[in-house]
């Protein structure tokens, strides 16, 4: 009862922070989705025949928590929901604890909360696969990039991936980070919480780690488009350094939000994760289902001939083409100038024979709708 009351108070504070009223906080409380939630006594977790959650790797069910990894080197573990989530707006509340024998900067590596297309696939990104499809929120406890001074660890960050991006371990994910904040979460004697909120294509992360039952802003990113039908999970990994990474509860709430007709049109369903107006490697433009075929003609590059030749009939200039799938709702495709071939050579008077350059075929740039 005390825990439930504390959470109700916390939700009320969260509602105030996000500009909602008390009724909205109560409504959130009423829409707990048990099929996507994990809490004591963890009945059926890891069972092959029953239960809603699967264990992976070194994860173990204890009486008071699920330990993703122990304070031992070279371990990794995860727990994944078996049921795909089709909610439009949701909030995931994570109650966790990170602790161990290592001193400051001699511990690692942290854990991640996932909302991804694939589940139960171990890998190098906090114990889960790289080049994922979906959302990852990382609680990183060890700085790999030695020379950086902008961020203080432990550090929480978020990343949206359409499957083309690789998490950069050497730089602690900085090239693909949407936002983040410092969070001193190790070896605390009080409870630590994290909330991931996804409403109207806006991703918000808040933390309660000071024992004051107050939410603090960490990440706020508009224009995040996540498909429905992905899976929730959490994973962790240790290397040469280690920590205990414990999950006490994961609670998912369905949020009921009113939308204007314009917002309904803007928030149409997507099939690949994307962030509006974001320029990251491999994510220059949103990709949508293929429903049409467009033909782009690429002009052939020519090398000047140093000697005049007998006039011949002109050869066709459009000899190569590129097929690109489009859909009626796809962004407009802007033609792009063909760069000069890197293999083209200046005519040599001693060798008048023209070179045959290799012609690059660039992919046209894409503008937003």
């Amino acid at each position: 009862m005390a825990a439930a009351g504390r959470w109700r108070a916390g939700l009320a504070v969260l509602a105030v922070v996000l500009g909602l009223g008390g009724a909205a906080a109560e409504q959130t409380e009423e829409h707990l989705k048990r099929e996507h939630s994990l809490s004591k006594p963890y009945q059926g977790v890891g069972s092959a025949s029953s239960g809603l959650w699967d264990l992976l790797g070194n994860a173990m069910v204890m009486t008071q928590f699920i330990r993703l990894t122990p304070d031992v080197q070279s371990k990794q573990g995860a727990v994944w929901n078996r049921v795909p989530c089709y909610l439009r707006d949701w909030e995931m509340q994570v109650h966790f604890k990170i602790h161990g024998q290592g001193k400051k900067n001699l511990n690692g590596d942290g854990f991640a909360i996932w909302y991804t297309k694939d589940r139960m696939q171990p890998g190098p990104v906090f114990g889960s696969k790289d080049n994922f499809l979906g959302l990852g929120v990382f609680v990183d406890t060890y700085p790999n990039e030695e020379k950086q001074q902008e961020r203080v660890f432990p550090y929480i960050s978020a990343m949206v991936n359409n499957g083309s991006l690789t998490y950069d371990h050497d730089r602690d994910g900085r090239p693909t980070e949407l936002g983040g904040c410092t969070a001193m979460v190790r070896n605390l004697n009080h409870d630590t919480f994290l909330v991931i909120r996804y409403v109207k294509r806006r991703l918000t992360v808040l933390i309660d780690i000071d024992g004051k039952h107050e939410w603090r802003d960490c990440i706020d990113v508009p224009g995040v488009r996540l498909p429905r039908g992905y899976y929730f999970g959490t994973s962790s990994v240790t290397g040469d350094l280690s920590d205990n990474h414990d999950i006490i509860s994961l609670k998912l709430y369905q949020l009921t939000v009113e939308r204007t007709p314009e917002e309904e049109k803007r928030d149409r369903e997507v099939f690949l994760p994307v962030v509006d107006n974001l320029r990251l490697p491999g994510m220059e433009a949103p990709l949508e289902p293929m429903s049409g075929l467009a033909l782009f003609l690429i002009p052939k590059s020519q090398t000047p001939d140093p000697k005049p030749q007998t006039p011949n009939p002109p050869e066709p200039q459009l000899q190569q083409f590129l097929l690109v799938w489009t859909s009626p709702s796809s962004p407009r495709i802007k033609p792009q100038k063909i760069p000069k071939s890197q293999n083209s050579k200046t005519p040599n008077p001693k060798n008048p024979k023209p070179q045959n350059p290799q012609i690059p075929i660039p992919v046209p740039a894409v503008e937003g709708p």
Side-chain angles (χ1 to χ4, degrees):
M1 293 298 293
R6 199 194 69 78
W7 264 115
R8 290 190 184 94
L11 286 171
V13 173
L14 176 62
V16 172
V17 170
L18 297 175
L20 301 174
E26 293 178 2
Q27 184 181 56
T28 303
E29 181 76 14
E30 293 174 357
H31 284 79
L32 174 68
K33 307 301 290 184
R34 299 188 183 277
E35 64 271 28
H36 301 299
S37 298
L38 175 67
S39 59
K40 292 182 285 188
Y42 314 117
Q43 185 174 2
V45 174
S47 171
S49 58
S50 63
L52 299 171
W53 295 82
D54 287 320
L55 296 178
L56 182 66
N58 301 114
M60 296 180 60
V61 178
M62 314 297 279
T63 56
Q64 299 298 317
F65 51 82
I66 293 180
R67 177 153 290 170
L68 300 178
T69 61
D71 190 2
V72 179
Q73 294 178 337
S74 303
K75 300 294 183 181
Q76 67 177 25
V79 57
W80 283 93
N81 193 201
R82 293 179 178 177
V83 183
C85 178
Y86 290 94
L87 300 181
R88 193 175 191 182
D89 304 285
W90 48 263
E91 175 182 286
M92 173 62 81
Q93 300 174 359
V94 184
H95 185 185
F96 67 95
K97 186 175 183 65
I98 301 176
H99 57 106
Q101 299 298 318
K103 297 181 180 180
K104 184 178 181 181
N105 293 335
L106 291 176
N107 57 275
D109 285 319
F111 76 100
I113 304 103
W114 302 100
Y115 175 70
T116 57
K117 181 178 181 181
D118 300 313
R119 61 186 292 273
M120 298 292 288
Q121 295 193 18
V125 185
F126 296 92
S128 193
K129 66 170 289 186
D130 205 347
N131 301 106
F132 58 92
L133 279 164
L135 167 69
V137 175
F138 310 125
V139 182
D140 192 349
T141 58
Y142 181 77
N144 292 296
E145 189 176 5
E146 297 179 355
K147 296 183 179 180
Q148 73 87 24
Q149 298 179 351
E150 294 85 358
R151 299 188 294 180
V152 178
F153 282 71
Y155 188 83
I156 297 176
S157 64
M159 174 181 176
V160 170
N161 199 344
N162 64 1
S164 68
L165 301 179
T166 298
Y167 181 84
D168 190 337
H169 286 274
D170 294 336
R171 300 184 62 190
D172 301 306
R174 292 186 68 183
T176 52
E177 176 189 323
L178 295 180
C181 68
T182 295
M184 299 301 179
V185 295
R186 288 192 71 248
N187 290 337
L188 299 178
N189 294 324
H190 53 263
D191 293 330
T192 48
F193 300 90
L194 178 151
V195 163
I196 305 170
R197 189 178 177 92
Y198 182 63
V199 179
K200 291 186 176 181
R201 307 300 187 195
R202 192 178 198 96
L203 176 68
T204 308
V205 176
L206 300 102
I207 55 177
D208 174 9
I209 61 173
D210 300 321
K212 299 178 180 179
H213 308 323
E214 295 177 357
W215 294 106
R216 175 156 57 90
D217 293 334
C218 180
I219 300 170
D220 187 4
V221 184
V224 176
R225 300 175 182 270
L226 299 175
R228 303 190 213 181
Y230 283 11
Y231 294 91
F232 286 104
T234 179
S235 65
S236 178
V237 67
T238 63
D240 294 335
L241 303 174
S242 61
D243 255 339
N244 296 304
H245 299 93
D246 300 337
I247 298 296
I248 298 160
S249 68
L250 300 172
K251 296 183 179 180
L252 186 77
Y253 292 89
Q254 179 180 7
L255 304 180
T256 303
V257 181
E258 294 184 359
R259 284 177 167 82
T260 64
E262 292 75 15
E263 289 174 334
E264 288 287 351
K265 183 178 180 180
R266 181 198 65 189
D267 294 348
R268 66 185 185 277
E269 188 171 357
V270 296
F271 297 89
L272 280 178
V274 70
V275 181
D276 294 345
N277 303 317
L278 181 67
R279 292 294 180 263
L280 290 177
M283 292 189 69
E284 284 79 5
L287 301 176
E288 297 195 10
M290 298 183 295
S291 62
L293 182 66
L295 179 65
F296 293 88
L297 299 176
I298 309 300
K300 180 179 179 182
S301 176
Q302 291 184 333
T303 303
D305 191 341
K307 290 185 178 181
Q309 301 291 335
T310 304
N312 293 321
E315 296 181 357
Q317 299 299 309
L318 301 175
Q319 297 187 4
Q320 302 200 27
F321 58 90
L322 177 68
L323 295 177
V324 178
W325 286 101
T326 63
S327 69
S329 60
S330 296
R332 297 184 300 276
I333 298 180
K334 179 180 178 180
Q336 189 179 45
K337 293 183 179 180
I338 308 301
K340 184 177 180 181
S341 172
Q342 299 298 325
N343 294 326
S344 298
K345 298 181 180 179
T346 304
N348 189 344
K350 296 181 180 180
N351 183 17
K353 183 177 180 180
Q355 303 295 323
N356 184 20
Q358 296 181 359
I359 303 172
I361 303 180
V363 177
V366 180
E367 291 183 344

